[in-house]
Amino acid sequence: MNRTWIILGATSSMARAFSRAVAAEGAGVLLAGRDGEELAALAADYRLRGARLAEAVAFDARDARGFGPLVERLEAEEGELNAAVFVGSMPEQAAIDRDPSLIDGVVADSFTGPARFLQTLAPVMEARGGGTVVGVGSVAGDRGRLGNYVYGAAKAGFATYLSGLRNRLTRAGGHVVTVKPGFVDTAMTWGLPGLFLVASPEAVAADLLKAVRKKRNVIYTPFFWRYIMLIIRHIPEPVFKKMKI
């Protein structure tokens, strides 16, 4: 069966690692993002790695006008249609404190833009009777923390959306995997203080592919973040609000 993936936020480190892996399996990839030149270079590389199709397409999470045409382009491909969402933005919380208008961009990039795109794509996947959505959230969405609670709130909203979408698409033979990475070596985390147990994008991509094959519902990657966040979620609020984590 032909398989086609649309990769939202395809220039990110995690997206590149994931795209290389599915390209090597012979899947088609539509690489969606804002930097057309970089996406075109990645597409050429993935074709050499064995992708059935590798094409750069424009996507801006803050501009819903392009979502319909992008879904139509994906619908033109035969076989199984899949989507992987790596989109998000995380300004420093201090910058948001100085300029609260930055919240709009964070929420659009990390939640409402991807959700609106997937909502447009969902009927197409239902009509095909299958397909997988991989939605990359964050452990930051498990509990509001002093250092990034706006980003965490957006990712928490996205995780709830993915849960509902999973319920919907399962009834039509599809599946949704919610991914909650811990610290990953990406442009978003470069230079941030207090990082520990940082994973490589390649290790995260391997976890994602395994989760897709096994139809996992929610995964933490690396796996031990499930236990770290279990502890953090159960810290009593009177204690937690005094902590600097």
Side-chain angles (χ1 to χ4, degrees), residues 145-147 194 239-245:
R145 295 170 49 241
L146 182 64
V239 175
F240 187 76
K241 66 184 183 181
K242 297 177 182 178
M243 299 177 69
K244 294 182 179 180
I245 63 172

Side-chain angles (χ1 to χ4, degrees), residues 89-91 93 96-97 100 102-104 106-107 110 144-156:
S89 62
M90 188 179 66
Q93 185 64 48
I96 297 173
D97 294 342
L102 293 175
I103 292 175
D104 296 346
V106 175
V107 174
S110 306
R145 295 170 49 241
L146 182 64
N148 64 354
Y149 59 87
V150 170
Y151 173 74
K155 286 300 188 181

Side-chain angles (χ1 to χ4, degrees), residues 4-237:
T4 304
W5 284 89
I6 185 164
I7 313 294
L8 304 185
T11 58
S12 75
S13 299
M14 283 189 290
R16 291 180 189 217
F18 182 82
S19 300
R20 283 195 298 267
V22 296
E25 294 177 347
V29 288
L30 297 180
L31 307 174
R34 298 172 181 169
D35 190 335
E37 185 174 343
E38 186 173 2
L39 291 170
L42 291 173
D45 178 56
Y46 300 153
R47 286 192 291 270
L48 292 174
R49 294 175 184 271
R52 176 183 57 80
L53 161 77
E55 180 181 325
V57 293
F59 174 81
D60 185 342
R62 304 184 190 187
D63 186 0
R65 292 173 297 179
F67 296 176
L70 193 51
V71 169
E72 290 176 3
R73 172 64 190 88
L74 181 61
E75 192 175 7
E77 295 299 315
E78 296 182 354
E80 184 182 275
L81 304 180
N82 309 279
V85 178
F86 294 90
V87 182
S89 62
M90 188 179 66
E92 291 185 1
Q93 185 64 48
I96 297 173
D97 294 342
R98 292 190 299 269
D99 181 5
S101 69
L102 293 175
I103 292 175
D104 296 346
V106 175
V107 174
D109 292 339
S110 306
F111 173 23
T112 56
R116 185 165 176 176
F117 175 83
L118 293 174
Q119 199 72 10
T120 307
L121 176 62
V124 179
M125 296 182 69
E126 287 174 322
R128 297 283 175 103
T132 299
V133 171
V134 174
V136 178
S138 172
V139 296
D142 278 16
R143 192 165 191 180
R145 295 170 49 241
L146 182 64
N148 64 354
Y149 59 87
V150 170
Y151 173 74
K155 286 300 188 181
F158 189 47
T160 301
Y161 172 80
L162 292 171
S163 178
L165 185 64
R166 179 162 46 249
N167 274 267
R168 174 182 175 177
L169 292 184
T170 295
R171 288 161 170 75
H175 189 60
V176 176
V177 181
T178 301
V179 183
K180 298 186 177 185
F183 298 133
V184 183
D185 186 11
T186 68
M188 188 179 289
T189 61
W190 288 340
L192 290 181
L195 299 186
F196 60 96
L197 300 174
V198 179
S200 70
E202 290 74 20
V204 171
D207 284 346
L208 267 60
L209 288 169
K210 183 177 179 180
V212 169
R213 289 192 294 267
K214 293 191 172 184
K215 291 187 177 294
R216 298 283 300 277
N217 295 316
V218 180
I219 68 165
Y220 288 78
T221 176
F223 74 93
F224 49 76
W225 278 94
R226 175 178 297 275
Y227 306 106
I228 294 173
M229 296 313 300
L230 178 65
I231 293 169
I232 290 176
R233 287 197 306 271
H234 284 83
I235 297 172
E237 195 70 16

